[in-house]
Amino acid sequence: MTTAGSSKHGAAVTMRDVAKLSGVSVSTVSHVVNDKPGARIGKDARRRVQEAVEQLGYRPNVLAKTLSRGTSAFIGLVADEIATTPFAGQIIHGAQDEAWKHGFVLLVANTDGNAAVEDDAIAMMLEHQVRGILYSSWYHREISVPEALHQTDTILVDCYADGSGLPAVVPDEEQGGRTATEELLAHGHRRIAFLNTTTPSPAQTGRLAGYRSALEAAGIGFDPALVLPVAPDQGGGYAGTSHVVDSGASAVFCHNDRVAMGVYDGLRERGLRIPDDVAVIGFDNQDVIAAHLRPTLSTVALPHYELGAAGVRMLLGVDPAPDDEPRLVACPPVLRHSV
């Protein structure tokens, strides 16, 4: 099991070769390359081993290291649909970058919500003795935790499971709703409509709470007549435009960018200009939508990249994992030209 690299001539380089060149025992080489805790090795011997490793191009055998330390250099990520969702796919990107910083490689399984595939993916990762697993959903919601996740260190990303005992990291929906509303307030708007979603979710309740708290802080009373639940898509935004216009609102906070896209269509049909007649702000920062509307859409970003990175840091103990409530990650504003 000592074979791991190849010499310049193609022959396998072994620990014995490194030991011979550095003038130490094979066990000393093993302690150095595996960074064994508590090994008593002199500085000079350690230096000679490291120089021999570099000169010969020796690479420690991954399987041998896995067996010796009980875990591999892999971190698992099991997700429902984030790999096929452009903006939520940033969770993978963030987790992958952070894992690499700490010497780990990310193993990704996209299950498309198939329970059997999910079970197989988790079993495969456990067989490979991953350092731990990130379990993620493409949108913020409560989940039921697969029982097998309790067999290894697990962090829930963009989802949570009350009573599971598993740490979670999620977007700060309330802060995001407050930020969106504050941006409209900062531009002088006082009568602000909110097209919320009809879908029960942390985003529905959190963004509404943020909207209300921003109005309260500005000394503006909450008017329930300005809030309308709509389908969370372009059709819902289009249908809700009449309510926005009839309410006399000078600005509208949309639950997501797809709703905002529908509002653009509805306002344009009525001959109203954005932002001159009605200012519009969205949520999610779906770049394929927000950056390509005219005028470009001001919005609030879901912090998918940071969610993935934070999940890895918590898994590796770089950041402490929360005990009870999920860790909240801020949703930053992305200001363009619709406000």
PDB file of all heavy atoms in Angstrom, residues 137 139-143 158-162 170-177 194 196-210 255 283 302 326 328 331:
ATOM      1  N   SER A 137     -31.058  21.708  -0.055  1.00  0.00           N
ATOM      2  CA  SER A 137     -32.260  21.858  -0.870  1.00  0.00           C
ATOM      3  C   SER A 137     -32.103  23.080  -1.763  1.00  0.00           C
ATOM      4  O   SER A 137     -31.386  24.028  -1.416  1.00  0.00           O
ATOM      5  CB  SER A 137     -33.478  22.040   0.048  1.00  0.00           C
ATOM      6  OG  SER A 137     -34.620  22.396  -0.705  1.00  0.00           O
ATOM      7  N   TYR A 139     -34.280  25.282  -2.428  1.00  0.00           N
ATOM      8  CA  TYR A 139     -34.915  26.468  -1.840  1.00  0.00           C
ATOM      9  C   TYR A 139     -35.067  26.237  -0.335  1.00  0.00           C
ATOM     10  O   TYR A 139     -35.113  25.106   0.145  1.00  0.00           O
ATOM     11  CB  TYR A 139     -36.251  26.794  -2.494  1.00  0.00           C
ATOM     12  CG  TYR A 139     -37.390  25.839  -2.166  1.00  0.00           C
ATOM     13  CD1 TYR A 139     -38.299  26.133  -1.152  1.00  0.00           C
ATOM     14  CD2 TYR A 139     -37.551  24.657  -2.888  1.00  0.00           C
ATOM     15  CE1 TYR A 139     -39.337  25.272  -0.869  1.00  0.00           C
ATOM     16  CE2 TYR A 139     -38.586  23.790  -2.607  1.00  0.00           C
ATOM     17  CZ  TYR A 139     -39.479  24.096  -1.593  1.00  0.00           C
ATOM     18  OH  TYR A 139     -40.507  23.234  -1.292  1.00  0.00           O
ATOM     19  N   HIS A 140     -35.127  27.319   0.406  1.00  0.00           N
ATOM     20  CA  HIS A 140     -35.151  27.312   1.867  1.00  0.00           C
ATOM     21  C   HIS A 140     -36.464  26.702   2.364  1.00  0.00           C
ATOM     22  O   HIS A 140     -37.537  27.251   2.126  1.00  0.00           O
ATOM     23  CB  HIS A 140     -34.995  28.758   2.346  1.00  0.00           C
ATOM     24  CG  HIS A 140     -34.946  28.919   3.827  1.00  0.00           C
ATOM     25  ND1 HIS A 140     -34.977  30.157   4.430  1.00  0.00           N
ATOM     26  CD2 HIS A 140     -34.860  28.019   4.840  1.00  0.00           C
ATOM     27  CE1 HIS A 140     -34.924  30.021   5.728  1.00  0.00           C
ATOM     28  NE2 HIS A 140     -34.847  28.720   5.995  1.00  0.00           N
ATOM     29  N   ARG A 141     -36.360  25.593   3.071  1.00  0.00           N
ATOM     30  CA  ARG A 141     -37.566  24.924   3.568  1.00  0.00           C
ATOM     31  C   ARG A 141     -37.211  23.965   4.694  1.00  0.00           C
ATOM     32  O   ARG A 141     -36.044  23.650   4.920  1.00  0.00           O
ATOM     33  CB  ARG A 141     -38.242  24.139   2.445  1.00  0.00           C
ATOM     34  CG  ARG A 141     -37.384  23.014   1.857  1.00  0.00           C
ATOM     35  CD  ARG A 141     -38.028  22.426   0.615  1.00  0.00           C
ATOM     36  NE  ARG A 141     -37.199  21.415  -0.020  1.00  0.00           N
ATOM     37  CZ  ARG A 141     -37.314  20.108   0.155  1.00  0.00           C
ATOM     38  NH1 ARG A 141     -38.238  19.643   0.998  1.00  0.00           N
ATOM     39  NH2 ARG A 141     -36.533  19.255  -0.478  1.00  0.00           N
ATOM     40  N   GLU A 142     -38.251  23.490   5.396  1.00  0.00           N
ATOM     41  CA  GLU A 142     -38.059  22.448   6.398  1.00  0.00           C
ATOM     42  C   GLU A 142     -38.073  21.100   5.692  1.00  0.00           C
ATOM     43  O   GLU A 142     -38.848  20.883   4.756  1.00  0.00           O
ATOM     44  CB  GLU A 142     -39.151  22.495   7.464  1.00  0.00           C
ATOM     45  CG  GLU A 142     -38.926  21.497   8.592  1.00  0.00           C
ATOM     46  CD  GLU A 142     -39.880  21.681   9.759  1.00  0.00           C
ATOM     47  OE1 GLU A 142     -40.865  22.433   9.616  1.00  0.00           O
ATOM     48  OE2 GLU A 142     -39.633  21.067  10.822  1.00  0.00           O
ATOM     49  N   ILE A 143     -37.226  20.191   6.140  1.00  0.00           N
ATOM     50  CA  ILE A 143     -37.112  18.882   5.494  1.00  0.00           C
ATOM     51  C   ILE A 143     -37.245  17.757   6.513  1.00  0.00           C
ATOM     52  O   ILE A 143     -37.174  17.979   7.721  1.00  0.00           O
ATOM     53  CB  ILE A 143     -35.749  18.732   4.783  1.00  0.00           C
ATOM     54  CG1 ILE A 143     -34.603  18.850   5.811  1.00  0.00           C
ATOM     55  CG2 ILE A 143     -35.595  19.750   3.663  1.00  0.00           C
ATOM     56  CD1 ILE A 143     -33.318  18.221   5.371  1.00  0.00           C
ATOM     57  N   ASP A 158     -29.324  25.510   3.372  1.00  0.00           N
ATOM     58  CA  ASP A 158     -30.517  26.080   2.737  1.00  0.00           C
ATOM     59  C   ASP A 158     -31.773  25.290   3.098  1.00  0.00           C
ATOM     60  O   ASP A 158     -32.752  25.278   2.365  1.00  0.00           O
ATOM     61  CB  ASP A 158     -30.358  26.155   1.220  1.00  0.00           C
ATOM     62  CG  ASP A 158     -31.238  27.242   0.590  1.00  0.00           C
ATOM     63  OD1 ASP A 158     -31.642  28.165   1.325  1.00  0.00           O
ATOM     64  OD2 ASP A 158     -31.501  27.175  -0.633  1.00  0.00           O
ATOM     65  N   CYS A 159     -31.713  24.591   4.226  1.00  0.00           N
ATOM     66  CA  CYS A 159     -32.872  23.860   4.731  1.00  0.00           C
ATOM     67  C   CYS A 159     -32.627  23.601   6.211  1.00  0.00           C
ATOM     68  O   CYS A 159     -31.536  23.852   6.725  1.00  0.00           O
ATOM     69  CB  CYS A 159     -33.079  22.540   3.985  1.00  0.00           C
ATOM     70  SG  CYS A 159     -31.639  21.451   3.961  1.00  0.00           S
ATOM     71  N   TYR A 160     -33.639  23.121   6.906  1.00  0.00           N
ATOM     72  CA  TYR A 160     -33.508  22.854   8.338  1.00  0.00           C
ATOM     73  C   TYR A 160     -34.471  21.741   8.724  1.00  0.00           C
ATOM     74  O   TYR A 160     -35.405  21.411   7.974  1.00  0.00           O
ATOM     75  CB  TYR A 160     -33.797  24.116   9.160  1.00  0.00           C
ATOM     76  CG  TYR A 160     -35.223  24.602   9.046  1.00  0.00           C
ATOM     77  CD1 TYR A 160     -36.173  24.282  10.024  1.00  0.00           C
ATOM     78  CD2 TYR A 160     -35.644  25.362   7.949  1.00  0.00           C
ATOM     79  CE1 TYR A 160     -37.488  24.702   9.910  1.00  0.00           C
ATOM     80  CE2 TYR A 160     -36.950  25.792   7.833  1.00  0.00           C
ATOM     81  CZ  TYR A 160     -37.873  25.460   8.808  1.00  0.00           C
ATOM     82  OH  TYR A 160     -39.176  25.875   8.685  1.00  0.00           O
ATOM     83  N   ALA A 161     -34.231  21.143   9.879  1.00  0.00           N
ATOM     84  CA  ALA A 161     -35.100  20.064  10.367  1.00  0.00           C
ATOM     85  C   ALA A 161     -35.213  20.203  11.873  1.00  0.00           C
ATOM     86  O   ALA A 161     -34.313  19.790  12.611  1.00  0.00           O
ATOM     87  CB  ALA A 161     -34.534  18.711   9.984  1.00  0.00           C
ATOM     88  N   ASP A 162     -36.275  20.819  12.333  1.00  0.00           N
ATOM     89  CA  ASP A 162     -36.484  21.014  13.769  1.00  0.00           C
ATOM     90  C   ASP A 162     -36.476  19.676  14.500  1.00  0.00           C
ATOM     91  O   ASP A 162     -37.096  18.704  14.061  1.00  0.00           O
ATOM     92  CB  ASP A 162     -37.821  21.727  14.021  1.00  0.00           C
ATOM     93  CG  ASP A 162     -37.761  23.207  13.654  1.00  0.00           C
ATOM     94  OD1 ASP A 162     -36.651  23.753  13.576  1.00  0.00           O
ATOM     95  OD2 ASP A 162     -38.832  23.805  13.431  1.00  0.00           O
ATOM     96  N   VAL A 170     -28.875  28.861   6.777  1.00  0.00           N
ATOM     97  CA  VAL A 170     -29.963  29.274   5.882  1.00  0.00           C
ATOM     98  C   VAL A 170     -29.892  30.771   5.605  1.00  0.00           C
ATOM     99  O   VAL A 170     -29.220  31.513   6.328  1.00  0.00           O
ATOM    100  CB  VAL A 170     -31.334  28.929   6.502  1.00  0.00           C
ATOM    101  CG1 VAL A 170     -31.483  27.439   6.763  1.00  0.00           C
ATOM    102  CG2 VAL A 170     -31.562  29.711   7.793  1.00  0.00           C
ATOM    103  N   PRO A 171     -30.587  31.247   4.565  1.00  0.00           N
ATOM    104  CA  PRO A 171     -30.622  32.690   4.305  1.00  0.00           C
ATOM    105  C   PRO A 171     -31.410  33.422   5.382  1.00  0.00           C
ATOM    106  O   PRO A 171     -32.376  32.885   5.943  1.00  0.00           O
ATOM    107  CB  PRO A 171     -31.342  32.803   2.955  1.00  0.00           C
ATOM    108  CG  PRO A 171     -31.434  31.418   2.419  1.00  0.00           C
ATOM    109  CD  PRO A 171     -31.374  30.492   3.578  1.00  0.00           C
ATOM    110  N   ASP A 172     -31.020  34.660   5.664  1.00  0.00           N
ATOM    111  CA  ASP A 172     -31.760  35.505   6.597  1.00  0.00           C
ATOM    112  C   ASP A 172     -32.878  36.196   5.820  1.00  0.00           C
ATOM    113  O   ASP A 172     -32.715  37.304   5.319  1.00  0.00           O
ATOM    114  CB  ASP A 172     -30.823  36.528   7.240  1.00  0.00           C
ATOM    115  CG  ASP A 172     -31.476  37.253   8.413  1.00  0.00           C
ATOM    116  OD1 ASP A 172     -32.725  37.266   8.483  1.00  0.00           O
ATOM    117  OD2 ASP A 172     -30.740  37.813   9.247  1.00  0.00           O
ATOM    118  N   GLU A 173     -34.007  35.520   5.711  1.00  0.00           N
ATOM    119  CA  GLU A 173     -35.122  36.019   4.900  1.00  0.00           C
ATOM    120  C   GLU A 173     -35.674  37.344   5.424  1.00  0.00           C
ATOM    121  O   GLU A 173     -36.006  38.250   4.648  1.00  0.00           O
ATOM    122  CB  GLU A 173     -36.252  34.976   4.864  1.00  0.00           C
ATOM    123  CG  GLU A 173     -35.840  33.599   4.386  1.00  0.00           C
ATOM    124  CD  GLU A 173     -35.692  33.485   2.882  1.00  0.00           C
ATOM    125  OE1 GLU A 173     -35.808  34.512   2.184  1.00  0.00           O
ATOM    126  OE2 GLU A 173     -35.451  32.357   2.401  1.00  0.00           O
ATOM    127  N   GLU A 174     -35.765  37.464   6.748  1.00  0.00           N
ATOM    128  CA  GLU A 174     -36.314  38.692   7.318  1.00  0.00           C
ATOM    129  C   GLU A 174     -35.406  39.881   7.027  1.00  0.00           C
ATOM    130  O   GLU A 174     -35.868  40.957   6.629  1.00  0.00           O
ATOM    131  CB  GLU A 174     -36.521  38.544   8.823  1.00  0.00           C
ATOM    132  CG  GLU A 174     -37.138  39.786   9.460  1.00  0.00           C
ATOM    133  CD  GLU A 174     -37.547  39.575  10.905  1.00  0.00           C
ATOM    134  OE1 GLU A 174     -37.596  38.416  11.351  1.00  0.00           O
ATOM    135  OE2 GLU A 174     -37.844  40.586  11.585  1.00  0.00           O
ATOM    136  N   GLN A 175     -34.106  39.685   7.212  1.00  0.00           N
ATOM    137  CA  GLN A 175     -33.169  40.768   6.890  1.00  0.00           C
ATOM    138  C   GLN A 175     -33.261  41.135   5.417  1.00  0.00           C
ATOM    139  O   GLN A 175     -33.202  42.314   5.042  1.00  0.00           O
ATOM    140  CB  GLN A 175     -31.745  40.336   7.250  1.00  0.00           C
ATOM    141  CG  GLN A 175     -30.633  41.235   6.724  1.00  0.00           C
ATOM    142  CD  GLN A 175     -30.145  40.795   5.353  1.00  0.00           C
ATOM    143  OE1 GLN A 175     -29.952  39.600   5.104  1.00  0.00           O
ATOM    144  NE2 GLN A 175     -29.966  41.746   4.439  1.00  0.00           N
ATOM    145  N   GLY A 176     -33.421  40.140   4.540  1.00  0.00           N
ATOM    146  CA  GLY A 176     -33.538  40.410   3.112  1.00  0.00           C
ATOM    147  C   GLY A 176     -34.767  41.230   2.780  1.00  0.00           C
ATOM    148  O   GLY A 176     -34.704  42.179   1.977  1.00  0.00           O
ATOM    149  N   GLY A 177     -35.897  40.889   3.389  1.00  0.00           N
ATOM    150  CA  GLY A 177     -37.120  41.662   3.165  1.00  0.00           C
ATOM    151  C   GLY A 177     -36.995  43.087   3.686  1.00  0.00           C
ATOM    152  O   GLY A 177     -37.494  44.041   3.079  1.00  0.00           O
ATOM    153  N   PHE A 194     -46.491  45.168  -1.595  1.00  0.00           N
ATOM    154  CA  PHE A 194     -45.676  43.945  -1.481  1.00  0.00           C
ATOM    155  C   PHE A 194     -46.455  42.795  -2.108  1.00  0.00           C
ATOM    156  O   PHE A 194     -47.524  42.417  -1.629  1.00  0.00           O
ATOM    157  CB  PHE A 194     -45.369  43.650  -0.012  1.00  0.00           C
ATOM    158  CG  PHE A 194     -44.582  42.372   0.209  1.00  0.00           C
ATOM    159  CD1 PHE A 194     -43.666  41.905  -0.727  1.00  0.00           C
ATOM    160  CD2 PHE A 194     -44.726  41.640   1.381  1.00  0.00           C
ATOM    161  CE1 PHE A 194     -42.936  40.746  -0.520  1.00  0.00           C
ATOM    162  CE2 PHE A 194     -43.992  40.475   1.605  1.00  0.00           C
ATOM    163  CZ  PHE A 194     -43.105  40.031   0.647  1.00  0.00           C
ATOM    164  N   ASN A 196     -46.387  39.231  -2.249  1.00  0.00           N
ATOM    165  CA  ASN A 196     -45.784  38.085  -1.563  1.00  0.00           C
ATOM    166  C   ASN A 196     -46.211  36.797  -2.259  1.00  0.00           C
ATOM    167  O   ASN A 196     -47.097  36.802  -3.129  1.00  0.00           O
ATOM    168  CB  ASN A 196     -46.215  38.079  -0.091  1.00  0.00           C
ATOM    169  CG  ASN A 196     -45.278  37.265   0.790  1.00  0.00           C
ATOM    170  OD1 ASN A 196     -44.286  36.731   0.329  1.00  0.00           O
ATOM    171  ND2 ASN A 196     -45.595  37.180   2.075  1.00  0.00           N
ATOM    172  N   THR A 197     -45.629  35.678  -1.887  1.00  0.00           N
ATOM    173  CA  THR A 197     -45.993  34.401  -2.490  1.00  0.00           C
ATOM    174  C   THR A 197     -47.190  33.768  -1.788  1.00  0.00           C
ATOM    175  O   THR A 197     -47.442  34.028  -0.599  1.00  0.00           O
ATOM    176  CB  THR A 197     -44.807  33.416  -2.437  1.00  0.00           C
ATOM    177  OG1 THR A 197     -45.191  32.168  -3.022  1.00  0.00           O
ATOM    178  CG2 THR A 197     -44.361  33.170  -0.999  1.00  0.00           C
ATOM    179  N   THR A 198     -47.891  32.927  -2.510  1.00  0.00           N
ATOM    180  CA  THR A 198     -48.975  32.147  -1.913  1.00  0.00           C
ATOM    181  C   THR A 198     -48.443  30.855  -1.287  1.00  0.00           C
ATOM    182  O   THR A 198     -49.186  30.146  -0.609  1.00  0.00           O
ATOM    183  CB  THR A 198     -50.005  31.766  -2.992  1.00  0.00           C
ATOM    184  OG1 THR A 198     -49.322  31.129  -4.086  1.00  0.00           O
ATOM    185  CG2 THR A 198     -50.738  33.001  -3.516  1.00  0.00           C
ATOM    186  N   THR A 199     -47.180  30.543  -1.523  1.00  0.00           N
ATOM    187  CA  THR A 199     -46.590  29.284  -1.054  1.00  0.00           C
ATOM    188  C   THR A 199     -46.079  29.415   0.371  1.00  0.00           C
ATOM    189  O   THR A 199     -45.178  30.218   0.633  1.00  0.00           O
ATOM    190  CB  THR A 199     -45.420  28.874  -1.964  1.00  0.00           C
ATOM    191  OG1 THR A 199     -45.864  28.808  -3.323  1.00  0.00           O
ATOM    192  CG2 THR A 199     -44.857  27.529  -1.542  1.00  0.00           C
ATOM    193  N   PRO A 200     -46.621  28.647   1.329  1.00  0.00           N
ATOM    194  CA  PRO A 200     -46.116  28.712   2.702  1.00  0.00           C
ATOM    195  C   PRO A 200     -44.645  28.303   2.746  1.00  0.00           C
ATOM    196  O   PRO A 200     -44.271  27.252   2.229  1.00  0.00           O
ATOM    197  CB  PRO A 200     -46.993  27.689   3.449  1.00  0.00           C
ATOM    198  CG  PRO A 200     -48.220  27.551   2.610  1.00  0.00           C
ATOM    199  CD  PRO A 200     -47.762  27.722   1.192  1.00  0.00           C
ATOM    200  N   SER A 201     -43.829  29.138   3.355  1.00  0.00           N
ATOM    201  CA  SER A 201     -42.388  28.877   3.391  1.00  0.00           C
ATOM    202  C   SER A 201     -41.726  29.883   4.319  1.00  0.00           C
ATOM    203  O   SER A 201     -42.314  30.920   4.654  1.00  0.00           O
ATOM    204  CB  SER A 201     -41.786  29.024   1.988  1.00  0.00           C
ATOM    205  OG  SER A 201     -41.936  30.362   1.533  1.00  0.00           O
ATOM    206  N   PRO A 202     -40.482  29.634   4.736  1.00  0.00           N
ATOM    207  CA  PRO A 202     -39.740  30.637   5.506  1.00  0.00           C
ATOM    208  C   PRO A 202     -39.573  31.945   4.737  1.00  0.00           C
ATOM    209  O   PRO A 202     -39.543  33.017   5.338  1.00  0.00           O
ATOM    210  CB  PRO A 202     -38.385  29.964   5.749  1.00  0.00           C
ATOM    211  CG  PRO A 202     -38.654  28.509   5.655  1.00  0.00           C
ATOM    212  CD  PRO A 202     -39.717  28.368   4.616  1.00  0.00           C
ATOM    213  N   ALA A 203     -39.477  31.857   3.402  1.00  0.00           N
ATOM    214  CA  ALA A 203     -39.361  33.069   2.598  1.00  0.00           C
ATOM    215  C   ALA A 203     -40.641  33.895   2.670  1.00  0.00           C
ATOM    216  O   ALA A 203     -40.591  35.130   2.742  1.00  0.00           O
ATOM    217  CB  ALA A 203     -39.046  32.708   1.144  1.00  0.00           C
ATOM    218  N   GLN A 204     -41.783  33.247   2.660  1.00  0.00           N
ATOM    219  CA  GLN A 204     -43.055  33.962   2.715  1.00  0.00           C
ATOM    220  C   GLN A 204     -43.196  34.740   4.021  1.00  0.00           C
ATOM    221  O   GLN A 204     -43.508  35.935   4.022  1.00  0.00           O
ATOM    222  CB  GLN A 204     -44.217  32.963   2.591  1.00  0.00           C
ATOM    223  CG  GLN A 204     -45.593  33.626   2.613  1.00  0.00           C
ATOM    224  CD  GLN A 204     -46.712  32.611   2.835  1.00  0.00           C
ATOM    225  OE1 GLN A 204     -46.691  31.858   3.813  1.00  0.00           O
ATOM    226  NE2 GLN A 204     -47.680  32.587   1.926  1.00  0.00           N
ATOM    227  N   THR A 205     -42.956  34.072   5.140  1.00  0.00           N
ATOM    228  CA  THR A 205     -43.130  34.734   6.434  1.00  0.00           C
ATOM    229  C   THR A 205     -41.975  35.684   6.748  1.00  0.00           C
ATOM    230  O   THR A 205     -42.179  36.767   7.288  1.00  0.00           O
ATOM    231  CB  THR A 205     -43.244  33.683   7.551  1.00  0.00           C
ATOM    232  OG1 THR A 205     -42.107  32.810   7.507  1.00  0.00           O
ATOM    233  CG2 THR A 205     -44.507  32.856   7.372  1.00  0.00           C
ATOM    234  N   GLY A 206     -40.743  35.276   6.394  1.00  0.00           N
ATOM    235  CA  GLY A 206     -39.585  36.096   6.723  1.00  0.00           C
ATOM    236  C   GLY A 206     -39.549  37.405   5.958  1.00  0.00           C
ATOM    237  O   GLY A 206     -39.288  38.471   6.532  1.00  0.00           O
ATOM    238  N   ARG A 207     -39.808  37.364   4.662  1.00  0.00           N
ATOM    239  CA  ARG A 207     -39.759  38.591   3.860  1.00  0.00           C
ATOM    240  C   ARG A 207     -40.880  39.553   4.231  1.00  0.00           C
ATOM    241  O   ARG A 207     -40.701  40.767   4.225  1.00  0.00           O
ATOM    242  CB  ARG A 207     -39.785  38.239   2.369  1.00  0.00           C
ATOM    243  CG  ARG A 207     -38.534  37.481   1.951  1.00  0.00           C
ATOM    244  CD  ARG A 207     -38.563  36.964   0.515  1.00  0.00           C
ATOM    245  NE  ARG A 207     -37.519  35.943   0.346  1.00  0.00           N
ATOM    246  CZ  ARG A 207     -37.267  35.291  -0.776  1.00  0.00           C
ATOM    247  NH1 ARG A 207     -37.993  35.541  -1.865  1.00  0.00           N
ATOM    248  NH2 ARG A 207     -36.306  34.381  -0.830  1.00  0.00           N
ATOM    249  N   LEU A 208     -42.047  39.004   4.589  1.00  0.00           N
ATOM    250  CA  LEU A 208     -43.135  39.866   5.063  1.00  0.00           C
ATOM    251  C   LEU A 208     -42.754  40.526   6.388  1.00  0.00           C
ATOM    252  O   LEU A 208     -42.999  41.722   6.594  1.00  0.00           O
ATOM    253  CB  LEU A 208     -44.416  39.051   5.237  1.00  0.00           C
ATOM    254  CG  LEU A 208     -45.619  39.803   5.818  1.00  0.00           C
ATOM    255  CD1 LEU A 208     -46.015  40.986   4.947  1.00  0.00           C
ATOM    256  CD2 LEU A 208     -46.808  38.853   6.006  1.00  0.00           C
ATOM    257  N   ALA A 209     -42.144  39.774   7.290  1.00  0.00           N
ATOM    258  CA  ALA A 209     -41.711  40.338   8.570  1.00  0.00           C
ATOM    259  C   ALA A 209     -40.693  41.446   8.353  1.00  0.00           C
ATOM    260  O   ALA A 209     -40.718  42.486   9.029  1.00  0.00           O
ATOM    261  CB  ALA A 209     -41.131  39.248   9.458  1.00  0.00           C
ATOM    262  N   GLY A 210     -39.777  41.251   7.401  1.00  0.00           N
ATOM    263  CA  GLY A 210     -38.786  42.281   7.106  1.00  0.00           C
ATOM    264  C   GLY A 210     -39.408  43.530   6.515  1.00  0.00           C
ATOM    265  O   GLY A 210     -39.017  44.662   6.862  1.00  0.00           O
ATOM    266  N   HIS A 255     -41.870  39.377  -4.325  1.00  0.00           N
ATOM    267  CA  HIS A 255     -41.344  38.224  -3.588  1.00  0.00           C
ATOM    268  C   HIS A 255     -40.115  37.626  -4.261  1.00  0.00           C
ATOM    269  O   HIS A 255     -39.193  37.170  -3.591  1.00  0.00           O
ATOM    270  CB  HIS A 255     -42.422  37.157  -3.444  1.00  0.00           C
ATOM    271  CG  HIS A 255     -41.935  35.887  -2.832  1.00  0.00           C
ATOM    272  ND1 HIS A 255     -41.726  35.741  -1.481  1.00  0.00           N
ATOM    273  CD2 HIS A 255     -41.569  34.696  -3.399  1.00  0.00           C
ATOM    274  CE1 HIS A 255     -41.275  34.529  -1.232  1.00  0.00           C
ATOM    275  NE2 HIS A 255     -41.170  33.870  -2.370  1.00  0.00           N
ATOM    276  N   PHE A 283     -36.282  39.888  -5.607  1.00  0.00           N
ATOM    277  CA  PHE A 283     -35.559  39.085  -4.604  1.00  0.00           C
ATOM    278  C   PHE A 283     -35.058  37.831  -5.311  1.00  0.00           C
ATOM    279  O   PHE A 283     -35.730  37.305  -6.196  1.00  0.00           O
ATOM    280  CB  PHE A 283     -36.489  38.691  -3.451  1.00  0.00           C
ATOM    281  CG  PHE A 283     -35.792  38.465  -2.138  1.00  0.00           C
ATOM    282  CD1 PHE A 283     -35.942  39.360  -1.087  1.00  0.00           C
ATOM    283  CD2 PHE A 283     -34.985  37.353  -1.947  1.00  0.00           C
ATOM    284  CE1 PHE A 283     -35.309  39.156   0.137  1.00  0.00           C
ATOM    285  CE2 PHE A 283     -34.352  37.140  -0.742  1.00  0.00           C
ATOM    286  CZ  PHE A 283     -34.507  38.039   0.306  1.00  0.00           C
ATOM    287  N   LEU A 302     -30.030  35.983  -2.882  1.00  0.00           N
ATOM    288  CA  LEU A 302     -29.907  34.843  -1.981  1.00  0.00           C
ATOM    289  C   LEU A 302     -28.434  34.451  -1.947  1.00  0.00           C
ATOM    290  O   LEU A 302     -27.815  34.277  -2.999  1.00  0.00           O
ATOM    291  CB  LEU A 302     -30.766  33.675  -2.466  1.00  0.00           C
ATOM    292  CG  LEU A 302     -32.256  33.802  -2.183  1.00  0.00           C
ATOM    293  CD1 LEU A 302     -33.033  32.718  -2.918  1.00  0.00           C
ATOM    294  CD2 LEU A 302     -32.537  33.720  -0.681  1.00  0.00           C
ATOM    295  N   PRO A 326     -30.900  27.678  13.323  1.00  0.00           N
ATOM    296  CA  PRO A 326     -29.998  27.710  12.166  1.00  0.00           C
ATOM    297  C   PRO A 326     -29.163  28.987  12.132  1.00  0.00           C
ATOM    298  O   PRO A 326     -29.600  30.034  12.625  1.00  0.00           O
ATOM    299  CB  PRO A 326     -30.970  27.684  10.970  1.00  0.00           C
ATOM    300  CG  PRO A 326     -32.217  27.064  11.493  1.00  0.00           C
ATOM    301  CD  PRO A 326     -32.317  27.519  12.920  1.00  0.00           C
ATOM    302  N   LEU A 328     -27.852  32.157  10.357  1.00  0.00           N
ATOM    303  CA  LEU A 328     -28.421  33.006   9.304  1.00  0.00           C
ATOM    304  C   LEU A 328     -27.310  33.676   8.513  1.00  0.00           C
ATOM    305  O   LEU A 328     -26.360  34.208   9.085  1.00  0.00           O
ATOM    306  CB  LEU A 328     -29.336  34.065   9.917  1.00  0.00           C
ATOM    307  CG  LEU A 328     -30.522  33.545  10.740  1.00  0.00           C
ATOM    308  CD1 LEU A 328     -31.310  34.713  11.326  1.00  0.00           C
ATOM    309  CD2 LEU A 328     -31.427  32.655   9.897  1.00  0.00           C
ATOM    310  N   CYS A 331     -28.570  38.433   3.245  1.00  0.00           N
ATOM    311  CA  CYS A 331     -28.944  38.541   1.838  1.00  0.00           C
ATOM    312  C   CYS A 331     -28.606  39.966   1.366  1.00  0.00           C
ATOM    313  O   CYS A 331     -29.289  40.916   1.763  1.00  0.00           O
ATOM    314  CB  CYS A 331     -30.432  38.284   1.654  1.00  0.00           C
ATOM    315  SG  CYS A 331     -30.983  36.656   2.229  1.00  0.00           S
TER     316      CYS A 331
END
